[in-house]
Structures are given as structure tokens and as C-alpha cells.
Amino acid sequence: MPLPDRKEVGTLYYEYGKDKNKHVLFIHGLGSSSIVWRDIPQALSEHFHTIAVDLIGFGGSDKPNTADYTIKGFSKFIVDFLRERIGIKENEKISIVGHSLGGYIAAEVSIENKNLIEKLVLIDSSGMLKEPTPLLKDYRVAAMQEDPVSRYEKVKRVFEDLYARPSRLLPVLVDLFNYTIEKPGAKHAFESAFDNSTTTQLGSERLKQIEDIPCLIIWGEKDKLIPIEYASMFTENLQRAKFEKIEDAGHSPFVEKTALVYEKLRTFLI
């Protein structure tokens, strides 16, 4: 498999399969980065041109204090990124795979730019929360800790709760979060994105605007961050969407059940 085309000027992203004419964009969740997708984008490049991006404010991308870290701000960032950096033309379509906060953003992009979207995948998506869940509140508290040692321990406990089985957590992921959150502007980006995404909603009427877009909804059976009950808020409004429950998986089923989720993505997107 060829090495990815890696760009680090302003926005960090990875591209695979640039010779393919069907495009798939991966958008990560809150406090995460494109690394969370593991080798799924690269594996799918056998069939698609895949792109995994670090949202502005997260991962290796710039973290300006002046950025708009609202859902609408992220949506504009994604569309501008696709047009200006990836070169998606007006008459082209792209499929988007969004996880958690990335799912909320993906849905917003789809609602505002229906002609751009070929297919949509929402994985344990936010966007229908009226307020933060208890574990989300713990996540915010942990991330905002000033002391790195205290932050590490609190983040580790939160991350363990993201899995169906805490033993599946790789300690390096906690190290990576601790390292990234200390970068200038990172805490502001996290806090701003958290506050906006947990107190706003897509809403039923807006979701129904994209019910004709082919959609796959994937949810970890044991998600404690955004429990599986929230999946029904999407399926009720996207009645033609296909729903897949991933057993023995938490908030990031593509991490715990990589091969299974990869196959479901490949089958749906192809």
C-alpha cells in the first residue's frame, strides 16, 4: 500500500487512493484526531479516494483562538477544505463518515450542502443532545485540568469508560491527548466545541431534509458517552437509513471492532 500524501500547513490531513474517482472523508470526534481511524481510510483506498482530516483546533491542525468552533463554523471549515485543499468540484459528490462530534458536523454539512453529499455515515453521533451526559461532563473536567499528572489520571478514567472493556485502552492514546491538549489554543478549542455541540441540536425538521441521502447509522451497544438510545433520534427522522448495532463495543466501535466496522463501511459505501 502506498504511503499517504501528508500535508501539515494549517490543516493536517492524510489522503489515500488519489487515483480513484469516488471520494470518502473521515471526520473525528471531540478532542481526537485523524489517527483514531487507524488503518480504515488506507484499507478503503482500494476502492475510494479517502481523506482523514484533523479538524481545526484539534490534532495536528492549527488552533487559532479566533476560529469559529461552533458546528456551523466546523461545517464551513469542512466545505472550504474540500473545495480549496482537496479540489472537490461543484459537480462532484463525496461521502462523509463522521464520529461523535464529527457525526454532528457531517450531518450539518449534508443539510447545508445536499448536492455535495453522495452517502452519509454517522457513528455514535452527537447532534441530538439537550445537555451533556455525565461521562461527557467528566471528559470536559478532565481535559481542562492544568496539572498534567492529574489530567492524565482523569482522562485515563474517562477513556477507559469509552470502551466496552477498559483493558482495550492503549495508554499511548492518553499520552497523545495529554500532549495535544497542552498546545497553544487547544483547550480553548476543546471547551468551545464542547459547549456548542452539547447545547445545540440538529433538530428533527432539519434532519428530515436529508432523509433522501443514503445513510448508515452505526452505534456501539455499550456506549456510555452517547448511549445507544440516542440512535433512535436519528433513525426516527432518517427513516430510510440503515442502522447497525455493534455488540461488545463502546463509543468508538471502529476501534474495538475494526474489521467488522470496516466491512460494514465498505459494503455501504461501494
Side-chain angles (χ1 to χ4, degrees):
M1 190 73 72
L3 291 173
D5 183 3
R6 187 173 187 268
K7 311 285 179 63
E8 288 192 81
V9 181
T11 300
L12 175 62
Y13 64 97
Y14 298 89
E15 283 188 273
Y16 307 87
K18 291 180 72 174
D19 59 322
K20 307 298 190 300
N21 57 17
K22 293 186 69 174
H23 316 287
V24 181
L25 174 69
F26 290 81
I27 308 178
H28 63 78
L30 180 71
S32 189
S33 70
S34 55
I35 196 173
V36 75
W37 298 108
R38 300 194 172 184
D39 60 353
I40 289 178
Q42 187 173 4
L44 282 171
S45 69
E46 180 179 350
H47 309 283
F48 310 100
H49 167 213
T50 60
I51 310 113
V53 64
D54 284 6
L55 289 167
I56 188 170
F58 298 95
S61 289
D62 286 350
K63 302 165 181 61
N65 285 328
T66 55
D68 182 359
Y69 295 118
T70 65
I71 296 301
K72 289 191 177 296
F74 283 123
S75 175
K76 183 179 185 303
F77 164 80
I78 289 295
V79 174
D80 289 347
F81 166 75
L82 291 173
R83 299 295 192 203
E84 298 169 10
R85 298 296 294 274
I86 302 302
I88 301 298
K89 299 178 177 61
E90 290 294 332
N91 61 343
E92 287 186 289
K93 289 181 177 287
I94 187 167
S95 296
I96 302 184
V97 180
H99 171 238
S100 197
L101 171 68
Y104 193 169
I105 297 166
E108 181 69 25
V109 170
S110 301
I111 292 167
E112 296 293 335
N113 306 270
K114 282 187 66 175
N115 292 336
L116 175 65
I117 307 303
E118 182 171 356
K119 294 182 180 181
L120 177 65
V121 180
L122 305 177
I123 305 178
D124 295 71
S125 182
S126 63
M128 299 302 280
L129 294 169
K130 291 185 178 179
E131 61 182 6
T133 61
L135 188 55
L136 267 168
K137 292 178 182 177
D138 290 345
Y139 189 20
R140 188 183 191 280
V141 169
M144 293 299 106
Q145 295 293 307
E146 291 295 333
D147 175 48
V149 176
S150 175
R151 186 192 316 122
Y152 180 93
E153 292 303 321
K154 290 180 182 295
V155 169
K156 180 174 179 288
R157 285 195 290 271
V158 170
F159 279 17
E160 286 175 341
D161 281 344
L162 297 182
Y163 291 79
R165 302 185 188 187
S167 61
R168 293 173 178 165
L169 173 65
L170 298 176
V172 68
L173 296 178
V174 186
D175 293 330
L176 181 61
F177 180 91
N178 227 24
Y179 168 76
T180 304
I181 201 69
E182 290 186 346
K183 291 184 176 182
K187 285 185 179 177
H188 171 71
F190 183 101
E191 190 172 37
S192 300
F194 180 101
D195 291 348
N196 178 258
S197 64
T198 58
T199 57
T200 61
Q201 291 183 305
L202 287 161
S204 297
E205 292 307 312
R206 296 188 75 235
L207 265 182
K208 288 175 182 176
Q209 293 177 29
I210 57 171
E211 64 179 2
D212 55 333
I213 294 176
C215 181
L216 174 64
I217 298 170
I218 296 176
W219 223 280
E221 176 191 24
K222 297 181 179 179
D223 189 347
K224 300 185 188 75
L225 194 77
I226 307 178
I228 196 169
E229 288 76 18
Y230 282 91
S232 64
M233 297 185 182
F234 290 93
T235 57
E236 287 169 3
N237 294 290
L238 301 171
Q239 295 184 12
R240 288 189 288 274
K242 181 180 180 182
F243 174 67
E244 294 278 4
K245 178 175 70 175
I246 308 299
E247 296 182 357
D248 190 31
H251 185 62
S252 303
F254 50 89
V255 174
E256 293 184 84
K257 303 289 181 178
T258 306
L260 175 61
V261 173
Y262 163 80
E263 185 57 27
K264 292 186 182 299
L265 290 173
R266 187 193 67 80
T267 302
F268 174 72
L269 292 169
I270 208 159

